[in-house]
Amino acid sequence: MTAARTPRYVPYEEFLVAEAASDLKHEWVDGVVYAMSRGTPEHGRLTMNVGFEMFGHLRQRGCAVFSSDVAILIEAANHHTYADLSVVCGPVEMREVRDKNQKSIGKAITNPCVIVEVLSESTQRYDRDAKFEAYKKLLSFEEYILVWQDEKRIEVRTRDGDRWTTVIGEPGETVRVRGVEVAVDAVYA
């Protein structure tokens, strides 16, 4: 019988230095580092289509849409991660960490109001459950958009106070994101 190995605690600053030097993306969850899986061509296409459908409308409303290259820090959950897309409406709030020479070793946004995840078979359960629970600790977080890869389906979870409601969009339907109508068929075109 093999004893279970306890993951090594990695301080946030150490994680940021390693992340900046890495070709891969990693999540930092309460001091434990996890490699993130790479996206497929379908994943990338759906992510871009969602961004395209939202970007012009949201930009006119003072919002910015960020790609998966921009990290999100959920300080209340000790969680640094990357969403497929994130949206900030109004001023962008960031956490920047600097080394002893005042050189930036990492930045992450801290106030997304909309987060989009394209679900894959390997990440679906995590994105729908544990990652969502972490995102909910962001005070700014109002809408969670889940886009299926294996079927034409978009789930929109919207915060109303302490309660979350869910709307599912199927082919031929639209879903609302920050008041913008997004056609399910356009995302999958």
Side-chain angles (χ1 to χ4, degrees):
M1 183 171 187
T2 305
R5 216 172 92 188
T6 303
R8 178 175 88 85
Y9 176 82
V10 177
Y12 187 57
E13 292 76 11
E14 185 180 319
F15 161 76
L16 289 174
V17 169
E19 186 71 353
S22 176
D23 291 336
L24 303 174
K25 290 182 186 168
H26 298 83
E27 279 190 305
W28 179 83
V29 183
D30 206 18
V32 179
V33 178
Y34 300 93
M36 296 183 74
S37 60
R38 294 180 186 237
T40 63
E42 180 66 2
H43 182 278
R45 185 182 76 80
L46 291 172
T47 300
M48 291 304 295
N49 285 355
V50 171
F52 179 78
E53 291 299 316
M54 292 183 346
F55 181 71
H57 300 290
L58 292 176
R59 192 170 79 171
Q60 293 171 0
R61 296 175 180 192
C63 303
V65 180
F66 295 95
S67 74
S68 62
D69 290 332
V70 177
I72 297 171
L73 177 62
I74 310 154
E75 293 187 87
N78 286 327
H79 195 140
H80 173 111
T81 191
Y82 300 87
D84 291 319
L85 293 172
S86 54
V87 177
V88 173
C89 294
V92 176
E93 295 174 12
M94 275 187 265
R95 164 98 186 272
E96 181 174 18
V97 176
R98 294 178 176 273
D99 67 12
K100 63 184 178 188
N101 298 318
Q102 296 305 306
K103 179 183 175 200
S104 178
I105 58 174
K107 292 180 185 179
I109 61 172
T110 59
N111 66 326
C113 58
V114 178
I115 296 174
V116 178
E117 295 286 3
V118 175
L119 303 177
S120 67
E121 196 171 309
S122 64
T123 65
Q124 179 174 233
R125 176 178 226 143
Y126 177 61
D127 288 342
R128 291 176 54 81
D129 299 328
K131 204 169 187 185
F132 178 55
E133 288 303 314
Y135 286 147
K136 288 188 335 187
K137 293 183 179 182
L138 291 163
L139 297 177
S140 59
F141 183 46
E142 298 172 348
E143 291 180 295
Y144 194 40
I145 316 307
L146 300 169
V147 180
W148 268 252
Q149 276 192 78
D150 57 352
E151 61 183 287
K152 292 181 179 179
R153 179 180 181 158
I154 299 174
E155 178 178 327
V156 178
R157 297 179 185 180
T158 305
R159 181 183 289 200
D160 183 12
D162 291 336
R163 197 171 137 255
W164 286 86
T165 58
T166 301
V167 172
I168 306 251
E170 306 275 342
E173 298 177 342
T174 61
V175 292
R176 292 182 72 78
V177 178
R178 299 282 304 173
V180 173
E181 294 286 331
V182 176
V184 173
D185 293 336
V187 170
Y188 290 91

